[in-house]
Amino acid sequence: MEKIVINNMSWYTTFPLIDYDILLYGMLFPPCLYGENAAKIEEHPGCISHAIGYSGMTISGHYCGAIIGNAIVPGNHLAFMIGSLLCTSSFIGIYAGNTRTNLRKKYMIDGNKKNDSCHHFICSPIALCQEAQEIRTRQNTSKVDIDTGDMYMRAPSSPTMEKI
């Protein structure tokens, strides 16, 4: 039986520990995964408005980057693509980074807003997958017993807890 220990001060999820269903969903449909994550973090009944916001930032970034790239080097496709990539990553980094910050606050995870934005700037789909796995894991795992200070752990599929 796999034992899971949750420390409220650090991320539990790292890249190899992400479930395959979350990875596939995040790589194919990042706006949808972002919408679901944001709805769970904010305890909002719908995820469509969040997904539309993420998609809007993606489209806006592409257009702004294309305009900037074409203005710097007119007619150069490489400048067009680089400008589009940088602007899209920047827009998504700022927009989705705010939601990541809210996730950290909700689960009392250490970090700062600059790092949250950087994760989404570098590779937003992987950051979204990490956030989704973190939400899933923390919802299925017990927390610290505050009265005694003892840590308890259980596997997400296991209904029993074991004392460390």
Side-chain angles (χ1 to χ4, degrees):
M1 177 170 91
E2 179 184 346
K3 295 182 180 182
I4 296 175
V5 178
I6 298 294
N7 178 358
N8 281 344
M9 301 307 281
S10 64
W11 287 93
Y12 168 70
T13 306
T14 57
F15 178 66
L17 297 176
I18 299 172
D19 294 340
Y20 293 115
D21 61 329
I22 292 175
L23 275 175
L24 185 63
Y25 189 45
M27 292 300 141
L28 296 177
F29 308 105
C32 297
L33 183 58
Y34 172 80
E36 288 182 13
N37 289 349
K40 290 176 185 174
I41 293 166
E42 296 174 6
E43 298 174 1
H44 189 269
C47 64
I48 294 173
S49 61
H50 298 292
I52 291 172
Y54 189 93
S55 298
M57 289 292 128
T58 303
I59 293 168
S60 299
H62 283 304
Y63 281 121
C64 288
I67 291 168
I68 291 169
N70 196 35
I72 294 172
V73 183
N76 187 330
H77 294 290
L78 183 60
F80 176 87
M81 289 174 36
I82 291 172
S84 179
L85 177 66
L86 289 175
C87 280
T88 302
S89 295
S90 297
F91 286 14
I92 292 296
I94 293 167
Y95 184 70
N98 288 330
T99 305
R100 188 176 179 94
T101 301
N102 293 339
L103 174 75
R104 280 191 314 94
K105 288 178 182 175
K106 181 175 182 175
Y107 292 119
M108 297 176 287
I109 300 172
D110 288 336
N112 59 44
K113 195 168 187 161
K114 180 176 73 173
N115 287 343
D116 295 338
S117 292
C118 284
H119 280 90
H120 281 281
F121 177 83
I122 292 170
C123 189
S124 188
I126 293 295
L128 293 172
C129 292
Q130 180 190 23
E131 294 163 13
Q133 184 67 48
E134 192 75 24
I135 291 168
R136 180 185 285 178
T137 302
R138 289 190 184 256
Q139 286 177 346
N140 293 330
T141 307
S142 64
K143 298 182 180 177
V144 176
D145 183 6
I146 296 172
D147 293 336
T148 62
D150 292 336
M151 271 300 244
Y152 289 89
M153 63 187 165
R154 71 179 164 127
S157 61
S158 173
T160 60
M161 293 189 309
E162 300 172 17
K163 189 172 181 178
I164 298 176

